[in-house]
Amino acid sequence: MATAGKVIKCKAAVAWEAGKPLSIEEVEVAPPQAMEVRVKILYTALCHTDVYFWEAKGQTPVFPRILGHEAGGIVESVGEGVTELAPGDHVLPVFTGECKECAHCKSEESNMCDLLRINVDRGVMIGDGKSRFTINGKPIFHFVGTSTFSEYTVIHVGCLAKINPEAPLDKVCVLSCGISTGLGATLNVAKPVKGSTVAIFGLGAVGLAAMEGARLAGASRIIGVDLNPAKYEEAKKFGCTDFVNPKDHDKPVQEVLVEMTNGGVDRSVECTGNVNAMISAFECVHDGWGVAVLVGVPHKEAVFKTHPMNFLNERTLKGTFFGNYKPRTDLPNVVEMYMKKELEVEKFITHSVPFSEINTAFDLMLKGEGLRCIMRMGE
């Protein structure tokens, strides 16, 4: 492309300080360096993680910063050493990566790449420790290696999944983070068999994606657990057959679930990050074969407490990161599940706004309205 090797000026939504509305600015985006790719973002979605680091209440504040990590785009140019991507390729950026060289990448069991695993505090590129974004020569920091709230961004090649160019980017962009996290937690880690009973704790986008996984696996009973009763109606679209609100009961929710299911559920997936929900998710699975999977990220001081007999009675507790998907190897196949009409993605997309109205998307998420809001770049 004519822009290859040159600085590109484009619009980006910059977070200048914690909790303050994002500001649409003209930024300079430097060309990609070795093993980097410059991507034209066409659609980006807002995920709760963006809001969390924008609020910066519990982490190291890194500002000014370009947030955003759930997106779809097209390769504009590639840096030295990049052989597997070329200008024009359709890609999904991912907040974690796959170098294909480290022990994790070579293991069939792990997706936690040593080189490109998520790093929320780093605001620069891994190659030279510098930012590719500037405004009037002053650096603007990156976010989880993706920074998709910009019309152009620079990303390490290992954090880009090359996908089917026929796939509509305004739909499959949501597969680059939350939806794959929940879906994979069920399909790759919990692995419910056809006809089984599954409980899902937390019915946000990730929990509903876990529920979609249970539906795809052929679970006969899918129990949604949430403190908000309004979530049940939405959850029915994802296969929810029963709903339990812990506030409606005067005993621990795990006891309620054990009674409802004649000894416990076969599989449970926890998507809230609340440590008490994690304990409930584990203690509600059936002895002998029950498996609980933790997805939600807990408070850093949280401690998980349960009686060791729960393990000795043959219950299994597992954790997962990004649904155990390897970004480059596995995400293209998740996109194909959508293309084959097995996986329904549209029902996760409840709002769409022009990129210039990005703060509306933040407002919707802060109010807890909808699941995913897609922003149309260039509008």
Side-chain angles (χ1 to χ4, degrees), residues 157-178:
V157 65
C159 299
L160 288 164
K162 181 182 173 180
I163 63 160
N164 183 345
E166 300 290 310
L169 287 171
D170 61 334
K171 306 287 190 294
V172 298
C173 63
V174 298
L175 296 176
S176 72
C177 174

Side-chain angles (χ1 to χ4, degrees), residues 44-207:
T44 186
L46 182 63
C47 164
H48 199 265
T49 307
D50 297 305
V51 176
Y52 190 63
F53 284 92
W54 165 73
E55 290 177 322
K57 287 174 185 168
Q59 328 69 25
T60 318
V62 182
F63 295 99
R65 199 173 208 182
I66 296 173
L67 296 164
H69 63 282
E70 203 171 89
I74 296 177
V75 173
E76 173 270 340
S77 61
V78 300
E80 187 188 333
V82 174
T83 53
E84 50 270 66
L85 287 174
D89 284 346
H90 286 219
V91 289
L92 299 182
V94 186
F95 62 88
T96 186
E98 181 184 355
C99 73
K100 298 195 174 180
E101 302 294 324
C102 70
H104 283 276
C105 287
K106 288 183 171 167
S107 159
E108 284 185 15
E109 294 179 54
S110 175
N111 64 343
M112 299 187 75
C113 174
D114 276 331
L115 179 69
L116 300 169
R117 178 182 309 192
I118 186 170
N119 182 325
V120 295
D121 296 330
R122 186 173 57 231
V124 292
M125 295 305 286
I126 207 166
D128 62 1
K130 292 179 183 164
S131 172
R132 301 287 172 262
F133 297 112
T134 50
I135 292 181
N136 300 326
K138 290 188 179 142
I140 307 290
F141 293 114
H142 294 249
F143 176 62
V144 296
T146 53
S147 292
T148 62
F149 293 166
S150 176
E151 291 174 333
Y152 286 87
T153 185
V154 176
I155 300 172
H156 191 284
V157 65
C159 299
L160 288 164
K162 181 182 173 180
I163 63 160
N164 183 345
E166 300 290 310
L169 287 171
D170 61 334
K171 306 287 190 294
V172 298
C173 63
V174 298
L175 296 176
S176 72
C177 174
I179 309 309
S180 294
T181 296
L183 185 75
T186 302
L187 294 180
N188 298 336
V189 188
K191 297 180 179 170
V193 296
K194 198 170 182 199
S196 55
T197 299
V198 180
I200 308 290
F201 286 72
L203 304 183
V206 175

